[in-house]
Amino acid sequence: MHSPQRAFDFLVLGSGIAGLTFALKVADHGRVAIVTKKNRADSNTNWAQGGIASVTSKEDSFELHVRDTLEAGAGLCRESVVRTIVEEGPARIAELIELGTRFTERDIPDSSGARELDLTREGGHSKRRILHARDATGAEIERALLAAIARHPNIAVFENHHAIDFITTGKLGVSGPNRMAGVYVLNQPENRVEVFASPVTVLATGGSGKVYLYTTNPDIATGDGLAMAFRAGAAVSNMEFVQFHPTCLFHPKAKTYLISEAVRGEGAYLLGADRRRFMPNYDPRAEMAPRDIVARAIDSEMKRTGADCVFLDISHKPAEFIREHFPNIHAKCMEYGIDMTREPIPVVPAAHYQCGGVVTNVDGETEIAGLYAIGEVACTGLHGANRLASNSLLEALVCAHRASLKALKFESGSLPGLLPPWQPGGATDADELVVVSHNWDEIRRTLWDYVGIVRTDKRLRRAEKRLANLQEEIREFYWDFKVTPDLLELRNLATVAELIVACALQRPESRGLHYNLDHPHPDPAWQQRDSRVQRISG
Ligand code: SIN
């Protein structure tokens, strides 16, 4: 299997808001490759409904946005990072608009006749501050960014290319600090592994929702970037903080369809099996409490009543208002025979967002020189123990900008000209694909059953044991057989699952999204302590 080498100044893995923003910002200064394992628009960003949180209204302030973020983060956010991201948000949003992103505007012009942006609300926000494009904000941002990417002559997009592992100077036996030299990439259409050489690699591969049986994430969310970075020796933190979105559509035929938090922001109530509101019994903010609280309340209601789901009801609002604000959600529900203008929507919590990730500073720098991580794959300290709704697109934008400034100044020193080709070893075609899909199912069910919204030490230990057995099997499989996209994803998913459990076992308390019945209260000793896992060998 011949393995040609391609060389770039900047290599971006992932084609969501973080990766595309970074690529656009450096493209005037060098050749950029964007490597993406499916089509360019297959990203978590494209699925984001709610919007971007940022201070754009006169009634709002940076101080309030910072306060809401810190409060949702349950004591674990890094305040300086929160402040930077919140304060730089408006400038980055202005750039997005300049690029052609069309956010929804208010129907009524202000006194000067200008149209203001419409702002919606989500849980944990004390003010209306979510910019949105109806209920398909991510898709609108992705559209604008991809159009700009297509216009830039220095950017090449490699679709259906699956990154496998990093090539670092540490692995090559080059002396000095560990630096990035390139990445092995499976070119799926050609069915061969290629070397992409670059002094700078940007991980913008998103999250890992597929590690759970039920998730709001698209199929691509298998934690590839996180697992690669971990294998290469980068530190990973706070993976125990998996955010479960409270309201995923519950229907036998619907796979992973999110009902945006903005629906609650615009007045929807959560109802139990008896069709009565229950959130006021759990928190004075009721349906507008932060997500960890709402998801746990739903879990507890479902366990208490034995019901399969709860209900989200906005039918008390005028039908026209609902259709206007939520055209896509309304249409999707209608496909399943649910008319949200007249009846409540059955919903359940599902894995939604990975708050932990590869440890970075606010500039996206990791502990490996030349490796940057931005967006959901990174752990900057913004989200702490629970992400405030709609802060993630904001973080991706701000950190992509800051990482681009650092990457443009980065001096890699001399790197080997020709990197070693991929060694397929004695690989043969895999005829045991059924084992891959069986292991994949087992990981997802194990995480759902033992590492879900409510945890115990015993369940975590049980998950740890099962995952260790699976890892052994997957490792054998990986070395014996030719790599396929499914096998690569399975290997990465297993690593992410182990990291979530390892981080959860480190934290002997309950905080934010991590709730352990054996340690049901926050421990002040852990208030500002991150969990952390790192492989010694690079
Ligand atoms: C939503 O629309 O509810 C998702 C927004 C987010 O996850 O930040």
Side-chain angles (χ1 to χ4, degrees):
M1 205 194 308
H2 181 57
S3 155
Q5 177 164 318
R6 303 174 188 273
F8 296 90
D9 300 303
F10 305 97
L11 174 57
V12 178
L13 306 182
S15 58
I17 183 172
L20 299 182
T21 302
F22 178 92
L24 283 172
K25 289 191 174 251
V26 296
D28 287 343
H29 306 272
R31 282 171 23 87
V32 185
I34 298 177
V35 166
T36 184
K37 68 179 177 179
K38 291 263 169 26
N39 297 324
R40 61 192 72 198
D42 286 322
S43 64
N44 259 339
T45 301
N46 215 13
W47 281 41
Q49 295 180 351
I52 300 198
S54 189
V55 176
T56 59
S57 131
K58 288 192 278 294
E59 277 101 68
D60 199 2
S61 70
F62 290 144
E63 218 41 56
L64 285 175
H65 191 177
V66 167
R67 194 196 67 190
D68 293 346
T69 302
L70 295 178
E71 201 170 311
L76 200 66
C77 302
R78 201 151 295 134
E79 187 166 343
S80 61
V81 170
V82 174
R83 224 163 258 292
T84 301
I85 292 176
V86 162
E87 290 179 5
E88 294 186 9
R92 304 287 80 82
I93 302 252
E95 287 171 359
L96 259 193
I97 294 173
E98 180 73 14
L99 207 70
T101 309
R102 291 187 294 258
F103 290 112
T104 300
E105 294 174 341
R106 293 182 63 182
D107 292 338
I108 310 150
D110 69 10
S111 49
S112 69
R115 289 225 181 249
E116 286 178 33
L117 293 174
D118 185 53
L119 301 174
T120 189
R121 258 189 88 184
E122 290 178 332
H125 289 275
S126 56
K127 292 284 174 192
R128 284 187 170 264
R129 66 167 70 98
I130 319 289
L131 289 98
H132 64 104
R134 298 266 178 259
D135 56 355
T137 311
E140 170 56 14
I141 295 172
E142 185 86 7
R143 179 201 65 71
L145 288 169
L146 283 175
I149 292 282
R151 291 192 294 268
H152 206 295
N154 279 358
I155 303 177
V157 183
F158 293 86
E159 295 181 313
N160 300 306
H161 279 60
H162 203 307
I164 303 175
D165 265 320
F166 299 161
I167 309 167
T168 58
T169 54
K171 271 192 199 156
L172 298 175
V174 176
S175 61
N178 202 18
R179 286 167 292 148
M180 287 300 292
V183 176
Y184 291 116
V185 176
L186 173 63
N187 173 340
Q188 296 173 55
E190 305 285 331
N191 193 23
R192 66 179 183 205
V193 177
E194 299 175 348
V195 172
F196 278 60
S198 176
V200 169
T201 295
V202 178
L203 273 185
T205 44
S208 55
K210 293 302 279 190
V211 79
Y212 283 88
L213 192 57
Y214 302 108
T215 173
T216 62
N217 290 182
D219 288 346
I220 47 131
T222 51
D224 304 319
L226 183 100
M228 279 188 280
F230 175 70
R231 284 195 292 270
V236 167
S237 270
N238 291 353
M239 289 296 291
E240 67 273 37
F241 300 114
V242 176
Q243 186 167 69
F244 289 80
H245 196 292
T247 56
C248 182
L249 177 60
F250 178 73
H251 188 278
K253 292 209 178 106
K255 200 182 134 216
T256 73
Y257 190 72
L258 177 73
I259 308 294
S260 175
E261 189 149 322
V263 178
R264 271 179 287 136
E266 295 300 338
Y269 299 128
L270 279 164
L271 310 179
D274 56 1
R275 299 296 199 273
R276 284 171 193 264
R277 277 180 83 191
F278 56 83
M279 275 315 300
N281 305 335
Y282 288 88
D283 192 280
R285 290 162 291 185
E287 281 83 0
M288 283 287 92
R291 274 191 198 161
D292 55 332
I293 294 168
V294 180
R296 231 172 4 253
I298 295 176
D299 185 70
S300 147
E301 276 305 292
M302 285 167 55
K303 285 190 176 132
R304 192 181 64 78
T305 61
D308 289 334
C309 65
V310 294
F311 297 89
L312 184 69
D313 190 12
I314 193 166
S315 62
H316 48 279
K317 291 272 182 178
E320 198 40 48
F321 172 89
I322 297 170
R323 280 193 292 264
E324 168 73 13
H325 277 72
F326 307 111
N328 295 293
I329 295 173
H330 176 259
K332 180 59 89 175
C333 287
M334 288 302 273
E335 267 177 43
Y336 295 112
I338 304 158
D339 182 352
M340 68 191 280
T341 66
R342 301 156 66 100
E343 61 192 318
I345 308 168
V347 290
V348 283
H352 182 62
Y353 193 86
Q354 164 196 302
C355 294
V358 179
V359 175
T360 70
N361 59 18
V362 73
D363 298 318
E365 292 170 311
T366 70
E367 292 173 2
I368 301 176
L371 179 68
Y372 299 80
I374 47 180
E376 190 171 350
V377 69
C379 181
T380 60
L382 172 71
H383 306 310
N386 176 38
R387 177 181 65 106
L388 183 67
S390 286
N391 263 357
S392 41
L393 294 179
L394 177 73
E395 181 191 46
L397 267 187
V398 171
C399 294
H401 172 77
R402 294 181 70 96
S404 74
L405 299 179
K406 289 286 178 183
L408 286 171
K409 289 202 203 118
F410 177 68
E411 285 174 16
S412 68
S414 73
L415 291 169
L418 204 59
L419 300 175
W422 175 252
Q423 293 298 335
T428 52
D429 278 319
D431 54 0
E432 288 188 61
L433 286 179
V434 64
V435 179
V436 172
S437 85
H438 178 86
N439 285 354
W440 174 285
D441 289 346
E442 197 169 335
I443 291 170
R444 300 184 70 202
R445 190 164 282 286
T446 300
L447 270 271
W448 187 260
D449 288 344
Y450 301 133
V451 198
I453 295 175
V454 176
R455 302 161 181 179
T456 64
D457 286 345
K458 193 166 153 196
R459 284 189 222 154
L460 290 175
R461 290 270 171 231
R462 197 171 282 168
E464 186 185 41
K465 217 183 274 172
R466 288 195 181 191
L467 290 170
N469 290 340
L470 281 165
Q471 267 292 22
E472 206 169 304
E473 205 169 304
I474 292 164
R475 232 172 263 136
E476 269 171 35
F477 214 69
Y478 180 74
W479 291 116
D480 287 352
F481 294 99
K482 197 155 126 182
V483 288
T484 63
D486 285 348
L487 183 52
L488 293 175
E489 286 184 340
L490 174 67
R491 179 184 181 225
N492 293 332
L493 213 63
T495 299
V496 170
E498 281 195 323
L499 289 171
I500 293 173
V501 174
C503 287
L505 281 167
Q506 279 183 19
R507 187 172 288 282
E509 63 160 356
S510 288
R511 181 177 299 281
L513 297 158
H514 175 67
Y515 186 72
N516 184 334
L517 284 174
D518 293 318
H519 317 273
H521 304 293
D523 177 349
W526 278 80
Q527 164 105 359
Q528 278 286 302
R529 255 173 92 179
D530 292 337
S531 59
R532 184 181 165 102
V533 192
Q534 188 163 24
R535 245 173 75 149
I536 306 298
S537 60

